[in-house]
Amino acid sequence: KINPRSGELPDEFIYIDLESVKKGYLIKETQINKIGAPSRAQRLLNKNDVIFQTVRPYQKNNYFFNLDGDYVASTGYAQLRVLNSPEFLYQALHTDRFVYDVMARSTGTSYPAINSTDLSKIKLNLPTKPEQTKIAAFLTAVDNKIELLHQKQELLGEYKKGLMQQIFSQAIRFKADDGSDFPDWEEKKLGSLCEITTGKLDANAMVKDGQYRFYTCAKEYYKIDDYAFDTDALIVSGNGANVGYIHHYQGKFNAYQRTYVLDSFTDNIVFVKFVLDGYLHKRIMKEKNEGNTPYIVMGTLTDMKINLPSFSEQTKISNFLSSIDSKIEQVSKQLDESKQFKKALLQQMFV
């Protein structure tokens, strides 16, 4: 059944709006009183309901509701009460084919959505109930592995973040190889540690299958056929949504005119990147005028003050934090591989 008639809402409940679910996970629970509830809070959930987000751009998000308690979903979800295997239906909703059929039937301009009648007309190929159960159990096991990897990735990220705060506040200090203390840290301006220049090119200067890397203000890099830099550098996005994002690259590359290139470091470049990763965004937000797109001017970088340990302690800190980054990267790779594996399974099982 789609959107079964709900009874009276409880006096207090947890409300699931369109921002509460992300990639199949319930990431936000909002306790609400019935009297102050929004008008869209209408779908009283039973255990084993599947809720499907009907509004773009959320339509690849759905959730298998398997929780005890009083939960109510927004009317931005279609509530599906399944006769056979709810777990199987939940997996079927993740296929590209199903999402394509939904989007093809969606109407509206600002936030296209599919209505319940059109959603009910989408056809699914269903095996017998025993096979549905077996398929769902297998895919659920894959989901569990993905969730464990996701949790491990987040925990490692929080662990690194906590360590960086303690290291850069000097609550944690490293020792020299002979057990002696390193010298006190010194405050210096970033502009005294390196040379800072900008790229010269337009953002659309990239060339498909070019020979060299081309850095813009995006998180990814592009390609180009000529280079302007041949160095070990930090490349900092100068404006836009990814302002302050930092690449570290050694070799030949080119850069967009709103991208800053930092090289010729007197200190450990990896250590400086860790410091900038931790503090540059705060500096940018502090300088930002209300309502303006954040951006970096040369002084944002040259005048930024950094506490620096001795070069030897910088190296120890960099090696330690880099080892954590390697673990995070390894888990991220496993997570991506597991997601691709599941995607391939879905396409093969739900043809």
Side-chain angles (χ1 to χ4, degrees), residues 90-157:
Y90 168 75
Q91 297 293 347
L93 300 185
H94 282 88
T95 61
D96 288 344
R97 178 179 175 180
F98 182 82
V99 173
Y100 174 81
D101 286 343
V102 169
M103 296 178 74
R105 289 169 169 79
S106 296
T107 58
T109 53
S110 299
Y111 294 97
I114 188 170
N115 61 51
S116 299
T117 301
D118 288 337
L119 183 64
S120 67
K121 294 178 181 178
I122 297 178
K123 294 182 179 180
L124 293 173
N125 291 321
L126 296 176
T128 62
K129 185 175 180 180
E131 189 174 359
Q132 287 183 40
T133 302
K134 283 184 176 290
I135 291 173
F138 179 70
L139 291 175
T140 299
V142 177
D143 280 343
N144 291 338
K145 179 181 178 181
I146 290 172
E147 172 62 6
L148 287 173
L149 288 169
H150 177 73
Q151 291 178 3
K152 186 175 181 180
Q153 182 188 51
E154 288 197 333
L155 287 172
L156 281 169

Side-chain angles (χ1 to χ4, degrees), residues 11-30:
D11 291 337
E12 291 187 352
F13 55 86
I14 295 173
Y15 179 50
I16 301 177
D17 63 17
L18 291 179
E19 304 295 336
S20 299
V21 174
K22 185 176 181 181
K23 297 181 179 179
Y25 301 109
L26 185 61
I27 62 171
K28 183 180 72 173
E29 297 186 8
T30 305

Side-chain angles (χ1 to χ4, degrees), residues 1 4 44-51 63-69 71 79-90 93:
K1 295 181 179 180
L44 181 61
L45 300 177
N46 285 359
K47 196 168 185 177
N48 293 331
D49 281 351
V50 176
I51 54 175
Y63 184 66
F64 174 53
F65 185 77
N66 196 27
L67 301 172
D68 291 317
Y71 286 77
Q79 180 183 9
L80 310 178
R81 190 157 294 160
V82 185
L83 300 176
N84 291 321
S85 170
E87 295 94 339
F88 179 86
L89 178 65
Y90 168 75
L93 300 185

